[in-house]
Amino acid sequence: MMKWTKILLICLCIWLVITAADLVRVAGMREKPIFCVNVFGADDGGSGTYIGLLYHYTIRGDFMPEDVPPHVIEYTWHLCGIPILHGEPIMKD
């Protein structure tokens, strides 16, 4: 019993680190997540829906080659299908 508890606790910790890393990249740094897969992408090279394990992002951004640096403009973070966090659109500098 104790062995399975440790394994589940380790898996939970790894999932939390991965989820937090993606959240910091999208919400804080305004970049694309690294532990998610873009499944419904737009033609701009980055906007779309990114799916991770038990969470996903809907991202709108400036990712065309002329947009330097490319960045996320607006995002919504869903945890288990429930919208948890929404980043409002930012203005270009």
Side-chain angles (χ1 to χ4, degrees):
M1 181 70 161
M2 191 64 147
K3 180 180 177 181
W4 288 108
T5 305
K6 287 181 184 179
I7 291 172
L8 288 175
L9 187 60
I10 290 170
C11 289
L12 178 65
C13 288
I14 291 170
W15 179 80
L16 286 172
V17 168
I18 288 171
T19 304
D22 276 345
L23 188 59
V24 166
R25 283 185 57 89
V26 174
M29 300 168 54
R30 295 288 182 158
E31 296 179 1
K32 295 186 279 187
I34 55 176
F35 295 108
C36 293
V37 177
N38 189 352
V39 291
F40 300 112
D43 290 336
D44 67 356
S47 296
T49 301
Y50 288 80
I51 296 182
L53 185 61
L54 297 178
Y55 66 98
H56 72 274
Y57 292 93
T58 305
I59 292 177
R60 185 173 63 90
D62 287 332
F63 298 106
M64 296 303 285
E66 63 271 4
D67 298 321
V68 177
H71 62 281
V72 172
I73 295 175
E74 183 178 15
Y75 65 90
T76 303
W77 179 50
H78 301 262
L79 184 61
C80 297
I82 302 167
I84 302 293
L85 187 63
H86 179 73
E88 296 295 326
I90 59 171
M91 304 302 280
K92 282 187 173 181
D93 291 338

